[in-house]
Amino acid sequence: MNDFSYWEQKYFWTNSDFVVIGAGITGLTTAVYLKKLRPDARVTILEKGVLPGGASTKNAGFACFGSLSEILDDLNHNGEDAVYSLIEKRLRGLSLLRELLGDKNIAYESAGGYEVFTNADEDSFQQCKNALNSVNAALRPITGCDTFHPADDKIAEQGLGNVKHMLYNGVEGLINTGLMMKNLTALARASGVEILNGAEVLKIEKKANGLLVHTAVGEMHAGRVCVATNGFAAKLLPGHDVKPCRAQVLITEPIPGLKLHGAFHHNKGYDYFRHLHGRVLFGGGRQLDKGAEDTDAFGTTDLIQSYLEEFLGNVILPDVNPKIDMRWSGIMGMGKAKNVIIEEVSPDLFCAVRFGGMGVALGTAAGREVASLLLS
Ligand SMILES: Cc1cc2nc3c(=O)[nH]c(=O)nc-3n(C[C@H](O)[C@H](O)[C@H](O)COP(=O)(O)OP(=O)(O)OC[C@H]3O[C@@H](n4cnc5c(N)ncnc54)[C@H](O)[C@@H]3O)c2cc1C
C-alpha cells in the first residue's frame, strides 16, 4: 500500500508504461533509449540509493576492452569466437557511450593503456610475448591496427619501479566516471525519464495487464519492467548466474610532478591504476580473498587495502611517499560466462545484467539493446 498524498500519486508516484530498476549506466541508458524510441511512453527508474549505488559511480573509468594477459586467460576458458566478439562489443559500446554523451561530457582522454609485469609476472609476460602477434592479427579487423606493442622503453618515463616489462595499447582511453554519470542522469531527466530514489524494489508480481512492482515505500504498476541491478540481480532474478563481486579502490592525495599517465593493468586485469586530477586511483586485489569479496556488502578490508598500498609504494610510486586520501568499494556482477544477460525473463519482465567488471564499455549498448527488446 502506498502512503503517498494525492499530489504525490498524481505527479510523482504514477503507474508507468516502463519501470527500469536501477539508476546505474545500464538503467539510465535503457530509459534514455526507451524515450528516444517511444517519446510518449512514461518511463520511471526506481533506484534504491540516494545516489546510484552499485558500480557506475564507483568505478575506475577505464574505456578499455581487456589487457593481453586477460585476453589470454579468457582464451584459455572460452572459445576464440566468444572472446573476440565480446571485445568487439566492448569497443562498440564505448563508441556508443562517446556518441550518446559526447567526449567533452565524459572527459574522454585517449590516454592509451599499459600492462605492467613485475619480476613475479615473468611467466605471464613470456606468454603474452609469444601470443602478441597472433592476438594482434585476430584483433586487427576489430581495432583496425596492431593493438599491443612492447613498451619497456616507456617504464622509466611513467615513474614506475620494479616493473620489468610493459606492453602498450594505443586504443584504450579514460573517462571521468563522475562526469559521465552526472551527464547521463541529466540526459535521462531531460528526455522525460522520472527517476525516483530511495525506492528499493523488493518483489515483482505478474498481474493481468502488466506487473506490480513492490518497493520498500509503495507499489507501482508497470506495463513492462527491466531489471538493471547488475551485482544485486540475484535478489530479483533468482536462478540467474549473476554473482556479486566487490571491488576495492583507493585514491592518493595530489602528487606534485606525477609522471604516471594512462590506464594501467596488472595481473590479468585484476589490478588497475590511472592518473586522475594529479592523483593515482588504484583498484584491485580481489584475487587475494575471492571468497570474502564475493559479496554485495560495501566495505574495505585491511588485507586488500594493505596489498594495494604496498603495490602502490613499490611499483606505482616508488620515489614518493604517497598519502591515501580516500578508499571505497563497488559491487560488480560476475558469472561463469563473461557475456551480458539481456533477455525477456518472463512475460513483460526483462533484464540487462552481468557486466563482468566492464560495464563502462558494455552498459550503453546493453541499454539500447534491452530498450528495443522492451518495445518489441
Ligand atoms: C571499483 C570498480 C571499478 C570498475 N572499473 C571499471 C572500468 O574501469 N571500466 C569498466 O568498463 N567497468 C568498470 N567497472 C564495472 C562497471 O562499473 C560496471 O560494470 C557498471 O557500472 C555496471 O553498471 P550497471 O548500471 O549495470 O550496474 P550498477 O552501476 O551496479 O547499477 C545498479 C543499480 O541498481 C540499484 N539497485 C540494486 N538493487 C536494487 C533494487 N532492488 N531496487 C532498486 N534499485 C536497486 C543499485 O543501487 C545501483 O544503483 C568497475 C566496477 C567497480 C566496482
Side-chain angles (χ1 to χ4, degrees):
M1 270 274 291
N2 297 344
D3 189 23
F4 295 119
S5 71
Y6 172 79
W7 311 112
E8 286 162 341
Q9 298 213 30
K10 192 160 176 66
Y11 294 100
F12 292 90
W13 195 269
T14 56
N15 294 339
S16 282
D17 299 307
F18 299 99
V19 162
V20 178
I21 306 172
I25 184 170
T26 309
L28 288 166
T29 315
T30 305
V32 165
Y33 278 101
L34 282 169
K35 285 298 280 185
K36 265 184 199 285
L37 297 166
R38 180 87 57 83
D40 57 336
R42 189 174 175 95
V43 180
T44 303
I45 298 181
L46 298 177
E47 163 58 49
K48 77 173 169 185
V50 174
L51 300 173
S56 297
T57 46
K58 315 277 189 191
N59 65 60
F62 281 38
C64 64
F65 53 89
S67 64
L68 185 50
S69 68
E70 185 177 359
I71 293 172
L72 294 185
D73 192 47
D74 285 350
L75 286 167
N76 280 337
H77 296 98
N78 302 287
E80 284 202 10
D81 285 354
V83 172
Y84 291 115
S85 88
L86 189 57
I87 290 175
E88 193 173 7
K89 278 192 180 148
R90 288 168 180 160
L91 275 165
R92 268 197 276 123
L94 287 169
S95 299
L96 188 65
L97 175 66
R98 294 174 63 185
E99 198 183 296
L100 183 69
L101 291 177
D103 281 354
K104 196 164 155 252
N105 291 325
I106 60 175
Y108 181 81
E109 288 180 69
S110 330
Y114 298 86
E115 178 160 16
V116 299
F117 300 85
T118 64
N119 270 331
D121 307 314
E122 187 57 31
D123 288 352
S124 170
F125 176 71
Q126 289 306 327
Q127 283 162 20
C128 288
K129 197 173 143 198
N130 295 339
L132 191 125
N133 288 338
S134 63
V135 173
N136 273 349
L139 284 175
R140 204 167 292 126
I142 302 170
T143 61
C145 61
D146 275 342
T147 306
F148 296 107
H149 305 268
D152 289 3
D153 56 329
K154 293 192 166 61
I155 295 172
E157 71 193 48
Q158 293 284 357
L160 298 163
N162 297 311
V163 171
K164 208 165 163 206
H165 299 289
M166 197 158 77
L167 296 173
Y168 175 67
N169 166 4
V171 185
E172 275 192 6
L174 288 167
I175 66 160
N176 176 321
T177 291
L179 209 53
M180 180 274 285
M181 281 298 288
K182 205 170 158 70
N183 285 316
L184 185 54
T185 305
L187 175 65
R189 289 215 161 96
S191 312
V193 174
E194 304 282 336
I195 305 175
L196 298 174
N197 291 84
E200 180 176 9
V201 174
L202 305 174
K203 196 172 84 174
I204 303 158
E205 192 184 348
K206 181 74 191 130
K207 291 284 174 189
N209 57 344
L211 299 163
L212 189 63
V213 181
H214 298 260
T215 80
V217 290
E219 295 160 356
M220 181 180 285
H221 188 273
R224 289 189 151 182
V225 170
C226 178
V227 177
T229 57
N230 199 33
F232 308 89
K235 287 188 177 147
L236 295 173
L237 303 172
H240 278 64
D241 174 31
V242 192
K243 165 180 96 165
C245 286
R246 184 167 64 193
Q248 299 187 30
V249 178
L250 59 74
I251 191 164
T252 66
E253 287 188 350
I255 292 162
L258 179 70
K259 291 181 180 162
L260 189 89
H261 188 92
F264 290 78
H265 307 258
H266 172 244
N267 190 12
K268 302 174 195 161
Y270 276 112
D271 302 333
Y272 40 92
F273 51 98
R274 63 172 287 185
H275 69 277
L276 178 64
H277 301 157
R279 305 160 183 253
V280 172
L281 182 154
F282 180 26
R286 192 170 60 81
Q287 69 280 9
L288 300 180
D289 203 6
K290 275 194 177 167
E293 295 304 304
D294 289 352
T295 173
D296 65 2
F298 291 92
T300 56
T301 61
D302 289 347
L303 176 74
I304 289 178
Q305 291 294 320
S306 308
Y307 166 78
L308 293 177
E309 279 191 48
E310 204 182 313
F311 195 91
L312 180 74
N314 288 337
V315 177
I316 307 174
L317 295 167
D319 304 324
V320 185
N321 186 13
K323 294 210 169 46
I324 310 304
D325 190 11
M326 292 172 68
R327 306 170 197 271
W328 68 88
S329 69
I331 309 297
M332 305 179 291
M334 302 282 193
K336 285 190 198 80
K338 277 209 158 181
N339 58 319
V340 183
I341 305 174
I342 299 174
E343 65 180 28
E344 182 167 7
V345 178
S346 56
D348 301 323
L349 179 63
F350 298 74
C351 74
V353 294
R354 193 172 72 186
F355 288 90
M358 284 230 191
V360 170
L362 292 162
T364 318
R368 183 173 67 174
E369 192 177 330
V370 80
S372 301
L373 206 57
L374 279 150
L375 291 167
S376 64

